[in-house]
């Protein structure tokens, strides 16, 4: 019976979905916060005149639920549960192991990473939250199918959806590109650090779509409406400032502190009662300890199976990309770790814990049998 359950996709989906619903059911008692009040006032006092997708979705919820917050959070809860199912399929495909997919899905369902997303309906249901996570997981799953089977239509589907998602939520989907590039690089990591020509052949279209949208405002809806590709230089965006922020952030220790807190499964600053932290040096010491343990787990994973080591590296890189994106593009220079859009890194945290735990078990089991 247990063997049948370990390979039963339908049962896994139900378990993951309902655990996510149970874990997030307290959100049904929450209320509107910050931006929602302004949106509700506009919806109820002025003619609807927004043009962006996220506002359309918010207004759609308003037409159904009015000012009843419970309905909005119920939708958010279902979207979160759907993201856990998407993550289950991604890990199952990536590892070719449904049981690991189940464990990862369960960890993601109860993960505290990105929990602040639920504070604001705007992010919980629409922007920067769990719908965006579903989008990224869908792209990665399509790429895995392409990498494993070589069927080119999976690649083109991923490329097309990347363009779609950029238009729907441009303020966050820019994070997809470095995650996709890192994923492709590590999944095809060979003897040399410099990737082969096929890597560049796969990634150039993603990069071109990225530039076309963010630099020249090329959108699918614009192409559909006009029947042509119209280039409009968005030269007013301060790319130099963003580049300077990125370079400065790479040498700033704060993102590493955030990464260490995420690996501990918490956004809280290291509790003084436990670690007895009294100064910055002690904080950095414990950050170094946590990151050192993470590096050790990567090495163990690599020894168990090379692919597992690469998966662990990818999950750490995924988390760090999300952190840098927040520091540079969302709220430059923030020092707090409880940022609502860190939910995009929550699946990466669950992936790291699942794979590292499995590899540690296999490593210790093998050592015991020697």
């Amino acid at each position: 019976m247990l063997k049948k359950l370990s390979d039963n996709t339908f049962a896994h989906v139900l378990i993951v979905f309902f655990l996510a619903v149970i874990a997030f059911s307290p959100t049904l008692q929450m209320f509107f916060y910050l931006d929602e009040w302004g949106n509700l006032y506009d919806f109820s006092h002025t003619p609807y005149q927004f043009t962006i997708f996220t506002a359309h979705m918010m207004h759609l919820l308003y037409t159904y639920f009015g000012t009843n917050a419970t309905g909005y959070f119920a939708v958010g809860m279902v979207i979160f549960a759907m993201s856990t199912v998407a993550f289950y399929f991604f890990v199952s495909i990536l590892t070719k192991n449904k049981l690991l997919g189940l464990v990862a899905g369960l960890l993601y369902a109860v993960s505290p990473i990105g929990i602040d997303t639920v504070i604001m309906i705007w992010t919980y249901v629409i922007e920067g939250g769990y719908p965006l996570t579903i989008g990224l997981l869908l792209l990665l799953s399509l790429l895995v199918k392409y990498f494993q089977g070589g069927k080119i239509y999976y690649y083109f589907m991923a490329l097309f959806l990347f363009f779609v998602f950029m238009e729907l939520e441009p303020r966050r989907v820019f994070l997809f590109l470095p995650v996709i590039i890192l994923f492709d690089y590590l999944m095809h990591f060979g003897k040399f650090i410099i990737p082969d020509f096929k890597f560049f052949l796969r990634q150039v279209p993603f990069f071109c779509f990225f530039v076309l949208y963010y630099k020249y405002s090329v959108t699918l809806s614009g192409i559909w409406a006009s029947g042509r590709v119209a280039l409009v230089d968005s030269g007013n965006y301060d790319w130099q400032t963003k580049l300077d922020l990125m370079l400065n952030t790479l040498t700033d220790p704060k993102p590493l502190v955030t990464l260490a807190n995420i690996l501990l499964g918490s956004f809280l600053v290291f509790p003084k009662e436990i670690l007895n932290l009294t100064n910055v040096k002690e904080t950095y010491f414990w950050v170094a300890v946590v990151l050192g343990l993470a590096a050790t787990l990567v090495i163990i994973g690599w020894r168990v199976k090379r692919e597992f080591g690469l998966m662990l590296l990818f999950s750490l890189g995924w988390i760090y990309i999300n952190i840098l994106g927040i520091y540079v593009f969302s709220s430059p220079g923030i020092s707090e770790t409880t940022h609502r859009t860190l939910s995009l890194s929550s699946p990466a945290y669950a992936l790291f814990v699942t794979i590292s735990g499995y590899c540690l078990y296999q490593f210790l089991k093998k050592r015991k049998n020697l």
Side-chain angles (χ1 to χ4, degrees):
M1 182 177 178
L2 289 176
K3 186 176 181 179
K4 289 183 179 179
L5 180 62
S6 67
D7 198 46
N8 191 323
T9 301
F10 182 71
H12 293 173
V13 169
L14 288 179
I15 292 171
V16 169
F17 185 90
F18 283 109
L19 179 62
V21 169
I22 293 171
F24 271 60
S25 59
T27 60
L28 297 178
Q29 304 174 33
M30 293 179 65
F31 44 83
F32 295 120
Y33 181 75
L34 292 178
D35 292 5
E36 283 77 49
W37 293 112
N39 292 310
L40 291 174
Y41 181 86
D42 288 338
F43 295 158
S44 58
H45 288 76
T46 61
Y48 182 68
Q49 55 187 359
F50 291 90
T51 59
I52 61 174
F53 174 78
T54 49
H56 291 332
M57 294 301 99
M58 188 70 177
H59 187 262
L60 179 63
L61 294 177
Y62 173 75
T63 60
Y64 282 105
F65 305 116
T67 57
N68 180 9
T70 302
Y72 294 78
F73 282 101
V75 171
M77 182 177 66
V78 172
I79 291 174
F80 169 72
M82 291 171 60
S83 75
T84 64
V85 173
F87 182 57
Y88 159 75
F89 281 112
F90 168 65
V91 177
S92 298
I93 296 170
L94 180 65
T95 61
K96 299 179 181 179
N97 188 317
K98 293 180 181 179
L99 194 56
L100 284 180
L102 175 62
V103 173
L106 295 176
L107 281 172
Y108 173 42
V110 298
S111 168
I113 308 303
I115 196 69
D116 275 14
T117 294
V118 303
I119 290 176
M120 292 178 61
I121 287 292
W122 196 259
T123 52
Y124 188 24
V125 184
I126 307 167
E127 172 249 323
Y130 300 107
L132 203 67
T133 304
I134 295 174
L136 177 58
L137 291 170
L138 178 58
L139 292 181
L140 293 176
S141 297
L142 288 171
L143 289 174
V144 171
K145 296 286 285 185
Y146 168 62
F147 296 156
Q148 293 178 350
K151 296 180 179 179
I152 193 66
Y153 60 83
Y154 285 120
Y155 172 81
F156 285 120
M157 286 174 62
L159 190 62
F160 174 76
L161 288 176
F162 177 61
F163 210 7
V164 172
F165 295 149
M166 280 193 296
E167 185 170 356
L168 297 183
E169 184 37 70
R171 288 173 293 179
R172 297 287 181 263
V173 174
F174 69 87
L175 287 171
F176 285 17
L177 182 64
V179 173
I180 289 172
I181 291 173
L182 179 66
F183 183 64
D184 191 344
Y185 174 73
L186 290 177
M187 291 304 100
H188 295 91
F189 188 80
K191 297 180 180 179
F192 305 101
I193 296 178
I194 299 176
D196 60 15
F197 176 74
K198 291 182 180 179
F199 167 82
F200 293 102
L201 195 62
R202 290 189 298 267
Q203 291 307 314
V204 164
F206 281 100
F207 181 77
C208 289
F209 276 20
F210 182 89
V211 173
L212 282 173
Y213 180 82
Y214 286 103
K215 176 64 175 174
Y216 297 105
S217 302
V218 176
T219 64
L220 289 173
S221 59
I223 296 172
W224 180 265
S226 64
R228 62 189 182 88
V229 177
L231 302 180
V232 180
D233 192 351
S234 305
N236 59 335
Y237 193 78
D238 191 359
W239 291 103
Q240 185 60 49
T241 298
K242 297 302 183 183
L243 179 60
D244 292 340
L245 282 169
M246 174 63 75
L247 294 176
N248 291 335
T249 304
L250 293 176
T251 58
D252 193 313
K254 289 194 291 291
L256 294 176
V257 176
T258 304
L259 176 60
N261 275 294
I262 287 176
L263 293 177
L264 288 176
S266 170
F267 286 119
L268 301 177
V269 175
F270 292 110
K272 295 180 180 179
E273 294 79 5
I274 297 177
L275 300 179
N276 193 29
L277 301 180
T278 58
N279 55 53
V280 173
K281 288 184 178 180
E282 289 186 13
T283 300
Y284 291 164
F285 169 77
W286 285 107
V287 168
V289 170
V290 173
L291 297 183
L293 289 174
T296 302
L297 290 172
V298 171
I299 295 171
I300 291 174
W302 195 291
R303 292 190 62 180
V304 171
K305 191 177 182 181
R306 182 176 180 273
E307 287 79 3
F308 286 146
L310 292 170
M311 290 177 196
L312 291 174
L313 283 175
F314 168 64
S315 60
L316 291 176
W318 177 353
I319 296 172
Y320 199 63
I321 286 170
N322 193 193
I323 296 170
L324 292 182
I326 291 170
Y327 273 74
V328 176
F329 289 93
S330 181
S331 302
I334 63 169
S335 58
E336 82 277 2
T337 56
T338 55
H339 199 281
R340 62 183 183 270
T341 55
L342 275 173
S343 56
L344 192 61
S345 66
S346 185
Y349 163 78
L351 179 63
F352 181 84
V353 174
T354 300
I355 300 300
S356 61
Y358 175 74
C359 290
L360 186 60
Y361 167 76
Q362 292 293 337
F363 179 77
L364 294 176
K365 180 181 177 181
K366 184 177 180 181
R367 296 279 294 182
K368 185 178 179 181
N369 293 333
L370 290 178

